[in-house]
Each structure stands twice: as C-alpha cells, then as structure tokens.
Amino acid sequence: DEEHWDSVVASATGLPNSLSPDTKPVVLLRHLYDVAQVASKPGRVFLNELEHEIRGECEKYGAVFHVVAPSTKDLEGSVAVSFDTVKAAEECAQSMDGRWFDNVQILVERRGCWEDLASVQLRGTQSAVVLSVEIAPPECFTVIVHNVWTANEAEACGPAFFDELESEFSQECGKY
C-alpha cells in the first residue's frame, strides 16, 4: 500500500522526517564536526549553535525550511538543510561543496526531493515511480538519477511518458 512505500522511502533517505525529504531538496553537509566537539558542551548546546550558524549561512541562497544535525551514526558529523526551492538548494550545494569549515573540507550530498513542484504535481505523487523500484539487498547499491525530464516534456508525451522512461532506464541499467 502507498503508506507503506512512503515509510520505506523516508527511511531509505536516512534523514529525519522534520526535513520533509519526500517533498523538499536537502543539502547534506558532511565533515562539519566530530564527537569531541559535541562532548565539549552539555546536551545539544554545540549542535544547536552549529545548526543556527549553518542556517544563517544557507539562508544566503534562499528560504531554508529546516536545519538539523541528524542523530544517526552514519550521518555523524553532518548537518542537513532542507530548502523550499530546488534553485536555492542547488546554489547552496554548489557554493558549499569543497569549502573549508573549521579546518576541514565540506563534502556535499544532495538528498531528498530535487524535482520541481510542477513535475511532482503532473505525476501525481512521488511514490508512483518509487513503487516500481525493488528494495535491493545490502550487498547491492541503488542509483538515483535526478533531473531526467521536465514537466513540459512529460506533458507533451502524454500518459505513457513514465512507462516509456522506466522501460528505457531498465534497459540501460540491465547492461550493468
């Protein structure tokens, strides 16, 4: 059912739901801090200050929806920033990737939804495409391709557009 797939997609991103990764573009900034820095102040004081500082920096690129230092082990040292627009998120990602912060070089990962709202509305829901994706076993990896089509292309091709696109990708991926 659709609710089940929504939770699978949300958990697959590894991001807190407060970022709205299913509908918002998320810029994940890696290597911003280490465990010793967090331990240097009580509770979440260090992380709260860092989130506030990162929000201020990222708002230079556009409206920020939410900022959080995820608490999962695999995202330790990272701060995730969700934006209201793909344009703002992309400008932030381009500007921050490779930048130096506290003597460490930032690595940027693009997560969440990097589609324009018109594309998502045209398709109906994001999960419509995700439903056809099989969840791979741990020894495999998943490749997510963004910005493959525009709303205008999909509208011009009609209802069969997504079936044709999925078929084309399946054939290409089958080569590997």
Side-chain angles (χ1 to χ4, degrees):
D1 70 56
E2 191 167 317
E3 186 174 314
H4 165 74
W5 281 103
D6 288 345
S7 64
V8 168
V9 171
S11 66
T13 67
L15 298 171
N17 287 334
S18 61
L19 291 164
S20 295
D22 55 334
T23 59
K24 304 270 186 205
V26 178
V27 175
L28 185 66
L29 305 169
R30 295 258 193 190
H31 311 303
L32 291 181
Y33 63 92
D34 60 37
V35 177
Q37 289 172 298
V38 174
S40 70
K41 296 187 177 181
R44 278 193 49 92
V45 172
F46 175 82
L47 295 176
N48 290 342
E49 290 171 352
L50 180 62
E51 289 168 355
H52 180 74
E53 183 178 347
I54 295 300
R55 175 182 283 279
E57 185 63 27
C58 291
E59 284 177 337
K60 295 176 182 177
Y61 308 103
V64 170
F65 178 75
H66 190 63
V67 178
V68 67
S71 58
T72 58
K73 185 76 174 155
D74 62 321
L75 296 178
E76 197 170 84
S78 302
V79 172
V81 184
S82 59
F83 287 86
D84 286 335
T85 68
V86 171
K87 182 178 186 243
E90 184 57 35
E91 287 177 10
C92 175
Q94 288 180 14
S95 177
M96 299 293 268
D97 195 33
R99 187 169 160 179
W100 290 87
F101 178 80
D102 201 19
N103 296 319
V104 178
Q105 194 169 28
I106 298 171
L107 171 69
V108 167
E109 292 180 17
R110 290 164 179 84
R111 299 223 182 157
C113 179
W114 285 72
E115 298 178 83
D116 62 32
L117 183 59
S119 300
V120 173
Q121 288 173 337
L122 176 66
R123 191 173 68 228
T125 65
Q126 278 184 283
S127 57
V129 171
V130 175
L131 289 175
S132 65
V133 176
E134 291 182 28
I135 303 300
E139 65 273 6
C140 297
F141 63 91
T142 302
V143 175
I144 299 174
V145 182
H146 295 284
N147 300 324
V148 176
W149 51 271
T150 66
N152 290 341
E153 290 172 318
E155 192 172 80
C157 294
F161 177 78
F162 295 107
D163 293 334
E164 292 170 14
L165 185 66
E166 185 176 348
S167 174
E168 184 179 333
F169 269 91
S170 293
Q171 289 174 352
E172 281 300 310
C173 292
K175 294 177 184 177
Y176 304 100

